[in-house]
Amino acid sequence: MIAATAKIHPLSVIEDGAIIGENVVVGPFCHVGPKVVLHDGVELLTHVVVTGRTVIGRGTRIFANAVIGGEPQSVSHDGAETTLDIGEMCVIREGVTMNTGTTEGGGKTVVGNHNLFLANSHVAHDCILADHIILSNNVMLAGHVKVEDRVILGGGSAVHQFTRIGRHAFIGGLSAVSYDVIPYGMLNGNPGILGGLNVVGMARAGIEKASIHQVRRAFKQIFEGEGSVRANAAAIREQYADSVPVMHILDFIAADSDRALSSPNRGKG
């Protein structure tokens, strides 16, 4: 079904069964598969492939040579029909690839709203991305990665499968993210080392100075205390019960995960 207000270039292919919303624009040499949904205002500029059971949210723009909704690049993929769900007002630049999920991983890859994917970045199967995230050029997310709100990943960084990255974290360019990164953390290097806090990002997000100082104190107590990281985090929970940013960090550390935590020491020789 194609809405009457959609503009489809005659040199593009929209397969029967695709659902094309109001004011969608499809430029030349695009291919939209039969199980794709393009919500109102989506724009495919040129040479874009959208395939699989893929839904793209309102107002999202996709640039040349992106391939969205391809089968998962997993040796265990059994060919089952899985999904990719992309939110509203995302910008997906040249050469970006995003894959559907795998049966064993829950069957779906999910991308939130207002995210920016720069050229040649990759979102693998079963990833869960929140909102207002930036993947710079050539960023690679392996399967089952979870990225929280307002994370920025620098160019060429690579994230190991099943890794979590907490809200407002900053990943430096060319970094190897092998372990979970706490909210507000700043990680650099290969292997990646948690060098401190994304103070600039916190300030830009409107977090007050007093709260930032609390997070700094908590960071030292967690990573420089005598006990283990998890024990130190549990020990200070009552002390920071009124600090929302610190509680974000403590809850992240306490949650179950398939990966260990990045720290100022993990990865050093």
Side-chain angles (χ1 to χ4, degrees):
M1 182 179 70
I2 301 177
T5 56
K7 297 179 180 179
I8 312 297
H9 196 281
L11 293 178
S12 284
V13 174
I14 310 295
E15 295 197 37
D16 291 342
I19 298 175
I20 310 297
E22 300 288 344
N23 300 308
V24 167
V25 177
V26 178
F29 305 109
C30 296
H31 185 177
V32 177
K35 298 177 181 178
V36 169
V37 177
L38 304 182
H39 282 293
D40 297 350
V42 166
E43 182 178 3
L44 312 183
L45 274 74
T46 183
H47 293 86
V48 175
V49 174
V50 186
T51 186
R53 189 171 289 278
T54 297
V55 177
I56 299 179
R58 177 183 60 86
T60 288
R61 301 180 72 220
I62 306 180
F63 286 67
N65 300 312
V67 180
I68 307 300
E71 289 190 5
Q73 299 177 82
S74 170
V75 296
S76 62
H77 179 54
D78 58 7
E81 189 173 77
T82 54
T83 65
L84 167 64
D85 193 340
I86 299 173
E88 300 181 350
M89 307 304 291
C90 292
V91 175
I92 301 172
R93 294 301 303 256
E94 296 82 359
V96 170
T97 51
M98 298 185 184
N99 298 153
T100 58
T102 61
T103 303
E104 64 177 3
K108 58 184 178 181
T109 303
V110 179
V111 173
N113 306 313
H114 299 278
N115 294 315
L116 172 59
F117 301 88
L118 297 187
N120 300 308
S121 54
H122 174 66
V123 178
H125 58 86
D126 306 297
C127 286
I128 307 293
L129 276 61
D131 303 331
H132 297 282
I133 295 163
I134 299 174
L135 269 63
S136 300
N137 298 72
N138 302 299
V139 168
M140 298 169 286
L141 304 185
H144 312 275
V145 167
K146 294 182 179 179
V147 184
E148 295 183 354
D149 291 339
R150 297 187 183 276
V151 168
I152 297 175
L153 293 104
S157 55
V159 183
H160 193 283
Q161 63 182 351
F162 293 101
T163 298
R164 299 177 299 147
I165 302 178
R167 67 185 68 204
H168 291 278
F170 182 90
I171 309 302
L174 301 177
S175 294
V177 186
S178 299
Y179 304 105
D180 291 350
V181 181
I182 61 167
Y184 312 103
M186 179 174 286
L187 182 139
N188 283 283
N190 183 1
I193 295 172
L194 186 67
L197 295 166
N198 182 18
V199 174
V200 172
M202 295 171 72
R204 288 176 177 171
I207 298 175
E208 297 179 353
K209 286 185 178 180
S211 293
I212 294 174
H213 289 316
Q214 284 183 314
V215 175
R216 280 175 158 166
R217 287 197 299 272
F219 183 90
K220 289 184 178 181
Q221 290 172 290
I222 293 167
F223 291 104
E224 297 178 12
E226 293 183 357
S228 69
V229 168
R230 295 187 186 276
N232 292 341
I236 66 172
R237 177 172 287 273
E238 186 174 346
Q239 178 183 347
Y240 291 99
D242 295 331
S243 171
V244 172
V246 175
M247 292 307 296
H248 286 156
I249 295 173
L250 300 183
D251 289 343
F252 185 92
I253 292 172
D256 291 335
S257 178
D258 294 296
R259 306 295 297 165
L261 285 164
S262 297
S263 77
N265 295 313
R266 189 181 298 278
K268 289 184 178 179

